[in-house]
Amino acid sequence: MKRLEDARFLTGAGRFVDDLNVEDALHAWVVRSPHAHAVIERIETEAARQAPGVAGVFTEADLAGLGPLPCVAKPRTVGPLIVPPRYALAAERVRHVGDPVAFVVAETRSAARDAAELVAVHYRVLPSVVDGRAALAAEAPLVWDEAPGNLAFTFRAGDAEATSAAMARAAHVTRLSLINNRVMAAPIEPRAGIARYEAATDTMRLTLTGQGVQDIRQELAESVFRVPRERIQLKAPDVGGGFGMKNFLYPEWVMLLWAARKLGRAVKWVAERTEDFLSDTQGRDNETRARLGLDAEGRFLALEVETVANLGAYLSSYGPGVPTNMTAMGGVYAVPAMAVEVRGAFTNTVPVDAYRGAGKPEANYLIERLVERAARETGRDPVLLRRANIVTSFPYRNAAGIEIDSGRFAENLREATARADCAGFAARREQARTGGRLRGIGVGCYLETARGAVEEHAAIRFANDGTVLLLLGTQSNGQGHETSFPQIAAKLLGLPVERFRLVQADTERVPEGHGHGGARSMHMGGTALVQAAERVIAKGAVIAAHLMQTEPERIRFTGGVFHRDSDDGPGVTLMAVAEAARDPAHLPPGIDGGIAPGIDGGIVPGIDEAARNHCETFTFPSGCHVAEVEIDPETGRVRLLRYVSVDDFGRLINAMITAGQLQGGVAQGIGQAMLEATVYEEGSGQLLSASLLDYALPRGDDLPAFETMLAELPSLANPLGVKGSGQAGCMAAPQTVMAAILDALAPLGVTEIDMPATAERVWRAIRAAREVGKE
């Protein structure tokens, strides 16, 4: 089924924040630090206040009473987790280029921008540090007095004693140091917001480019404004991508609400692309040293990991939870013993938080790179080494303590390598060699643990006009929920899919929920919808029995119709029951005709129902991908010739949408592997890749046609049998592409290269290998 929302988007009827205009709205501009680290000695705002059209110029001194932005992730650390205060506007010191210092509000956007240039901030520049491991060195500049040595936390997991013992008896130990490069989320729609204040009800309202409005609202109410959450209402229209980055509370959301309340007028702010790059949370940025122990037969004995995670200047909402996410550590392999240590480092860079996968792509990348190197060091075929260690018996509890209920890991590996014709690769490599090219093939497996927050909400409401509203606490920012959820409801309730309409991202109409993140929407939100539908049917059966003057136990529901169990007559349709239930006279004793609070007045009582799904169980999407590349040894240019994938996402609600989610993730993973680099200059802390002129996103001609096979092994964790698919592509692509590149370079003696494998980096590796060969 094609996506229902696409007609709206393709005909220009989509509505994003920048498309929305509020009468008499003011416009905001943010004054940001040009320095990575500096003391704010004084801020002169008078000239800006006197500029034409200016309604206000605000600094941290104006924000008395506001609390700091919270860090809600609390991993179990060894010793304290240091969470320095992060206010909406910098107080006393700035700690990264782009740190907000002042907020200018004027009648027009151009007037606000002009006035912002008149704000004079006097800085005393301090030394800065941008690399995570360098920040932990004894002589590094201190980012926070509260964090000696720039250490935010130390985290340990696994069994260090068992791991050490296993390493001691290993026949071979593979060692690897690698960098998981920092990347930008770079969604097509920059962040934007419009805030209004209703004095009569003392309510602040914010329309924003957000992915999880309920959680953002909770943080604003509890930590920043310290008001009952009902006094803050958030809403998101269409959202143009997010990839995790739009899940979090940002200083601009605080300032918009505060300024709207202060000035008594709506205030609108839309980021420019470079501004987004200087203020949106960024992803990844781990430096890892690891060991993998193998016995004489090539069986994995133990995995030891030491990681420094660059967290940036502040702890963002879920920042510490990303590098400490152990759920996918070890990937699809049986690794009996594991020990992991992660140190979080403060640096003078933009904060790091969850980005499409949130720690699980990093874990999969690490184990797959180790497997590849172990195979080369021990003279084994990488596919056969995987096959010897892949988990085949379920349920399986990994060394991180996660019980995997089911999987087709070995089948994914077998089918993907067959479809990619790995057996015929040698001939293709030889053909490329005769043409002066280096050809390589790479295999990459992955394990996803999909769930996100452990609770989700859904409600089904029957409207006066015959529409059935599906109110979901999850949220789409491009995933096709306006199609997938109606497809589920249509099958459950026996109604045409066109009758349903999705309601999301509105804290007034859907006050409970946890939005997008963790590939959770069908597993958590879909299950909540199933539960709500079951309640609608059960309630409808009682009302139908009352209408048909029989007992509820004799009612059966099929194809949208309630029948007596032995009656083949027309029965009573669900919509007829919903219509009848609008009249309290038709409601039998014990049926509550009241309407749930928070639902707007256009919805009537009757058989409406809601459900809260609490589930601590993950689903386990998995797959195997194969990439084939060709390299020009004279220029270092890498061409990705072929990309084959076999993925298990459980039972598919909509195969087309799932394939699109997978391929989008693959494109992002390829981008990280080959193109994308967030580069800060040592010394100055300037972001050198602060625009799309300097930050390379993958384009159509960088990608081959994807050859996708979707397997369906139903999950045991939910009644739909679904598994998350939104993050899988970027969990598989980086290691798959890098394996292919290293395979192509292996004949020259190149054994190591970090992402991104740009033409320059590959050319330098080739050149260095040739110099070694001359010696």
Side-chain angles (χ1 to χ4, degrees), residues 443-465:
V443 175
C445 298
Y446 72 91
L447 171 68
E448 155 78 298
T449 52
R451 184 200 63 203
V454 299
E455 194 169 89
E456 199 44 80
H457 303 256
I460 299 174
R461 309 294 182 199
F462 291 78
N464 284 324
D465 62 0

Side-chain angles (χ1 to χ4, degrees), residues 90 94 96 172-173 206 239 338 441 499 507 521 587 647 738:
V94 292
H96 69 86
H172 179 83
V173 176
L206 177 65
V239 177
M338 186 185 304
I441 194 166
R499 189 178 287 274
T507 59
S521 289
L587 295 176
D647 299 88
M738 292 303 293

Side-chain angles (χ1 to χ4, degrees), residues 681-698:
E681 184 179 53
E682 286 188 34
S684 72
Q686 293 295 322
L687 179 61
L688 302 182
S689 53
S691 76
L692 291 175
L693 288 173
D694 304 296
Y695 188 84
L697 292 174

Side-chain angles (χ1 to χ4, degrees), residues 210-217 234 246-247 475 514-516:
Q211 291 179 234
V213 296
Q214 292 89 354
D215 288 342
I216 296 173
R217 190 258 291 260
L234 269 58
K246 291 178 181 174
N247 272 333
Q475 185 185 333
H514 295 284
H516 156 85

